[in-house]
Structures are given as structure tokens and as C-alpha cells.
Amino acid sequence: MNIGSDILTALPEIFLACSAIALLMVGVFRGEGSSRLVMTLAVSAIIVTLGLLLMGPTRHTSAFNGLFANDGFGDFMKMLVLIGAALTMVMAQRYIEREQMARFELPVLLLFATVGMLMMISANDLIALYMAVELQSLALYVVAAIRRDTLRSSEAGLKYFVLGALSSGMLLYGLSMIYGFSGTTDFVALADLFAEGGEVSLGLLVGLVFLAAGMAFKVSAVPFHMWTPDVYEGAPTAITAFFAVAPKIAAIALFVRILMGPFGDLVEQWQQIIVFISIASMIVGALAAINQTNIKRLMAYSSIGNMGYALVGLAAGTPEGIRAVAVYMAIYLFMNVGTFAVILCMRVNDRMVERIDDLKGLSRTNPLIALALAIFMFSMAGIPPMAGFFGKFYVFLAAVESGLYILAVVGVLTSVVAAFYYLRIVKVMYFDEPSEAFDQPIGREMAVVLTATGIIVMLFFVMPSPILDSATAAAESFFPAGS
């Protein structure tokens, strides 16, 4: 083991972990008034980490005796996680100051969660996988309940913790079953075992089912979605925005890494599990959101549906399917960051409002915010030429090419149903009589985030090649040329 090359391979993660520890010390010595400074430095650390990632060593390298893997797929997903984390932290600063929850621990915890996400994406061993998942989860349990004086936030944190502990138990049980019946925890050794036509025992399949169940919780897929609406509604809105973006991308990336890496030759065994989870998530995400009156709960069910669409690409188990997942998660990132930026602007008389009815007549009281939200809603509904249409197009195309016609048909039908509640928001903003106007101004950072995400979502079709080419390169990590 070459320590120097190992450190270089994992330099972005090591830098971010060291930054989190250093910022914890800054916060301790500077006291409670250091929240803004620590948040600014945390965002700066994420930007530097992104730079280190882009300038990193050659791909397809491993470190620390094979526990950590670097490849094009990992780089692409890590970029999305870092962009999502940075944007949501920028959006959060003004919110946490207004809500009297400006504590330096918050950005530090978000940094530790982000380190866990990067480690999840690069996990190349069952033990490394579990350690990374727990590093992310423990930090997120705390930030969900960071408003200790608010019953809703405490309830959200407790529900997330209890259900998260249950899912961690299922995940760990699955990992132990896989180790017990295969004799190894290394992804490469597992892949070689199955590639050689090694016998797939019933116990190993049971372990794989438990592993899939644990990961389904992390992406809030049905039937492990129970925590999502309550946590989204109860957690502070800025924290909900973080939950909706970075952890979802990291969990989907880990799901792909596990099933396409060590279990890539067992597609027939795990495909039916993913097909069921995907169909159930799309149906529940489409139907359960129809009667929602709280926009954060609506976004929770929307995210459940979106994870179902992303899993359509994984179910295909082909290069086109993995490329589709990567494209879908990139578009999902910008749609959700933009939508939550609008939700964070929903303030009336200096208090946050969350009801869909509070958006009535927004086109007349604040036409620019209404336009931005309309763009994101059209995109989530999958209406061309918005970016969301292309995300769904690629995952459904991958399903059809793999012969999963039922999956594609269910996806299209649930998209039509889901369009109802997305377009209802547009109708409320543009055709209902105005309610109270939102507080002004919205802040420079929020205006920048809204403008940037709106332009990307609306004009994706003009220049899709950066995301498409990167996603194609990412998929090749699991399907080397000529294989």
C-alpha cells in the first residue's frame, strides 16, 4: 500500500473532512457569533473540494487496500453532490439567521454529511459502504432536529432516527449475509466470484434483498418511504432543501455502485426487486401528492416519484440505463434546488408560509418568482422542452431498449397523473386571486440561484452535451469499451 498515492486518490474527501474538523474548532473558539463565518468557509471548502475533484488523478484507481475506488461514475456523482450541497448551504444562510437558528454546528454537520456522501459514492467494500452510510446518516439525524425548541423539528429528527436505525439494521444484516455466503467483503472479489459462474446461494440472495431494502430507505423509495413526508414537513425548510438534493444523489449513486459493480452479473436476480420498487415509488409519488396542501409534503411525494423514475434506468442494467440515471439525477438536482429556493422565498409578514394556497396570484405580486416556479413545475411534469422531459425520456428509452415495457408504460402514465399537481401550482399562481404578497427583497444569493437553475432547466435542450457526454463517460465505468 502506497500511502502517498492513496492520499492523492482520496484527496478531495480528506480535504473536506479536515476542513470540517478545522471549522468545528473555529466555531468552538469564536463562539456563537461565528455562524456566518463558518458557513462561508464551509461553502468555500466545498468549492475547493470540487476543484480538487476536477484536477484529480487518473481514473479507475483504488486506495486503502481496495476500500476506496475512483472512477468516472464516482466523479460525476460527486460533482452533483458537491454542487447540491454548496447551493443549498448558500440558500440556507439568510433563512437560519431569520429563524434564530444560526449556530456554527449546522454547517459543520452538513460538511460531515457531505464527506459521508462522497465516501458512499467511492465505497468499494461492504464495510466501507456501511461506515460511509452511517457517517452521512448520523449527521443528518441531528440537523433534522436542530430546532430543539420546535416540536415539528424534534418529531422529524426522531422519526428519521428511528426509521433510519431500522434501515441500517436491515442493511447491516444484508451485508453480513452476503459476507457469510461469499467469504469476502471486497467488491472486486465479489464481482470476480459471480463472473466465474460461482454458485449463487439462497442465503446470498436473501442478503441481497436486505441490502436493497436498506438502500431503498436511503433513497426514500416505496415501501420504505414512510419517513419522507413527515421529515420534509417538520425539518427547517433550508434543511429540507439539503435533504431533497445531496443525500438522494449519493444514495442513488451507491445503489448503482453496489448493483452494477459486485452484483453486475446477477442482473436477473436483482432486477425484479428494482422493478417492483420503481413501479411502487412512481405510483405512490403520483397519487399520494394529489391531495397535499403543504408544498413541502408535496415535494416529499414528488421526490419519491422522482426516485422511482431514476430506478427505471437502474432496472435496465445497461450502459444506456446508467447514463440515463446520471442524466436524470443531474436534472433532478437543478429542478429541486430551484424549487426549494422559491419555497424559501415564501415569507409573509416575516414568517414562513408553506401552503399551496399561499401562492395564489403570485404572478401579479411577484412575476419573476412565479415564472421561475412555473419553469420548475413544467420541468418536473416532464413537459418539453424543459430539462425534466429529457430526464424522463432517457430513462424510459433505456427501459424500452431492455424490454421492460411495463416499467416504461407505468412511468409514462404516472407522469401524466403527477402533471396534475405540478400544473395545479401553476394554475394557482396565474389564475387565482392574489393572496398576501411575499416579503421583499428575496436576497441576492437567492436571486442568483433562481436565475442560474431556471436558465439551466429551461435551456438544457440548447446545449445538453456537457451533461450527456459526462453521463456517458460515467456509465463506461461499469461497461469498459469492448466488454
Side-chain angles (χ1 to χ4, degrees):
M1 182 171 75
N2 186 333
I3 293 294
S5 65
D6 285 354
I7 290 175
L8 193 62
T9 301
L11 188 58
E13 288 80 3
I14 293 171
F15 171 79
L16 196 60
C18 292
S19 299
I21 295 168
L23 290 180
L24 178 61
M25 301 306 294
V26 169
V28 169
F29 288 112
R30 290 287 297 262
E32 286 301 320
S34 60
S35 168
R36 178 173 280 271
L37 172 66
V38 174
M39 183 69 86
T40 304
L41 291 174
V43 174
S44 303
I46 290 176
I47 293 170
V48 173
T49 305
L50 189 58
L52 291 172
L53 186 68
L54 293 172
M55 298 184 296
T58 52
R59 296 303 148 218
H60 293 287
T61 54
S62 62
F64 307 109
N65 287 328
L67 293 172
F68 183 96
N70 245 350
D71 57 23
F73 176 78
D75 283 358
F76 183 81
M77 288 302 194
K78 285 180 189 175
M79 283 196 321
L80 298 185
V81 165
L82 291 170
I83 292 169
L87 289 176
T88 48
M89 289 169 75
V90 166
M91 289 171 6
Q93 180 58 43
R94 192 179 291 256
Y95 171 87
I96 62 174
E97 288 176 351
R98 281 192 306 232
E99 298 293 316
Q100 282 84 49
M101 49 182 283
R103 293 196 286 273
F104 72 85
E105 295 95 334
L106 180 59
V108 172
L109 285 166
L110 293 179
L111 277 190
F112 278 122
T114 306
V115 173
M117 292 174 215
L118 300 186
M119 297 299 293
M120 282 165 64
I121 295 170
S122 280
N124 201 39
D125 186 280
L126 298 178
I127 297 172
L129 175 161
Y130 187 72
M131 295 295 289
V133 167
E134 289 307 294
L135 174 58
Q136 176 216 263
S137 298
L138 290 171
L140 294 183
Y141 298 151
V142 179
V143 296
I146 198 147
R147 295 192 71 178
R148 291 168 296 178
D149 55 341
T150 305
L151 184 61
R152 287 173 63 194
S153 182
S154 300
E155 180 188 354
L158 185 61
K159 283 182 177 176
Y160 193 23
F161 172 71
V162 171
L163 291 170
L166 176 66
S167 87
S168 293
M170 294 171 72
L171 183 65
L172 195 56
Y173 183 71
L175 299 184
S176 62
M177 290 281 284
I178 291 168
Y179 170 65
F181 283 90
S182 67
T184 181
T185 59
D186 184 66
F187 281 9
V188 176
L190 283 168
D192 291 343
L193 179 70
F194 302 129
E196 292 165 4
E199 184 182 349
V200 182
S201 64
L202 179 62
L204 196 139
L205 289 179
V206 171
L208 189 54
V209 170
F210 274 97
L211 172 62
M215 287 310 305
F217 175 91
K218 299 302 178 187
V219 298
S220 67
V222 177
F224 306 97
H225 66 291
M226 304 81 66
W227 62 274
T228 315
D230 292 336
V231 172
Y232 270 49
E233 183 182 10
T237 306
I239 305 303
T240 304
F242 187 86
F243 278 3
V245 179
K248 292 289 191 332
I249 296 169
I252 282 285
L254 180 56
F255 221 149
V256 173
R257 169 85 63 199
I258 295 168
L259 295 183
M260 296 307 302
F263 302 108
D265 289 295
L266 303 182
V267 174
E268 291 181 3
Q269 278 81 0
W270 56 254
Q271 188 179 60
Q272 55 194 323
I273 302 172
I274 303 302
V275 167
F276 168 76
I277 292 174
S278 176
I279 289 176
S281 299
M282 290 188 290
I283 292 173
V284 170
L287 297 179
I290 290 174
N291 290 326
Q292 299 303 319
T293 57
N294 183 295
I295 193 162
K296 285 165 71 177
R297 286 186 77 87
L298 184 142
M299 290 304 296
Y301 286 109
S302 170
S303 77
I304 292 168
N306 276 306
M307 292 304 103
Y309 296 127
L311 290 174
V312 170
L314 175 56
T318 59
E320 293 77 19
I322 304 309
R323 182 186 76 155
V325 173
V327 172
Y328 194 90
M329 295 315 294
I331 293 168
Y332 171 85
L333 162 68
F334 295 111
M335 290 191 303
N336 274 264
V337 167
T339 304
F340 275 98
V342 173
I343 295 172
L344 282 165
C345 294
M346 292 173 63
R347 295 184 68 85
V348 176
N349 299 327
D350 206 33
R351 64 179 182 84
M352 294 296 297
V353 292
E354 298 173 359
R355 292 182 310 121
I356 293 171
D357 284 348
D358 293 312
L359 293 165
K360 283 183 176 179
L362 185 62
S363 62
R364 277 167 271 179
T365 58
N366 200 316
L368 293 179
I369 292 181
L371 175 64
L373 186 55
I375 290 170
F376 302 130
M377 291 299 104
F378 281 130
S379 181
M380 287 189 178
I383 295 172
M386 304 299 174
F389 165 78
F390 295 96
K392 290 180 179 177
F393 172 76
Y394 286 117
V395 292
F396 296 155
L397 185 64
V400 169
E401 289 177 348
S402 299
L404 301 172
Y405 302 113
I406 294 176
L407 203 54
V409 169
V410 172
V412 172
L413 293 177
T414 52
S415 292
V416 173
V417 175
F420 166 76
Y421 59 79
Y422 293 129
L423 298 182
R424 184 183 64 182
I425 292 177
V426 178
K427 174 259 181 189
V428 165
M429 292 191 299
Y430 280 87
F431 298 104
D432 286 8
E433 286 302 312
S435 54
E436 286 190 86
F438 292 166
D439 295 350
Q440 298 290 342
I442 61 172
R444 186 186 309 163
E445 66 279 359
M446 208 65 81
V448 170
V449 170
L450 277 173
T451 304
T453 52
I455 289 173
I456 290 170
V457 168
M458 189 167 59
L459 299 181
F460 172 80
F461 72 97
V462 175
M463 201 171 70
S465 54
I467 289 178
L468 291 181
D469 293 347
S470 301
T472 302
E476 287 172 358
S477 301
F478 301 107
F479 302 93
S483 66

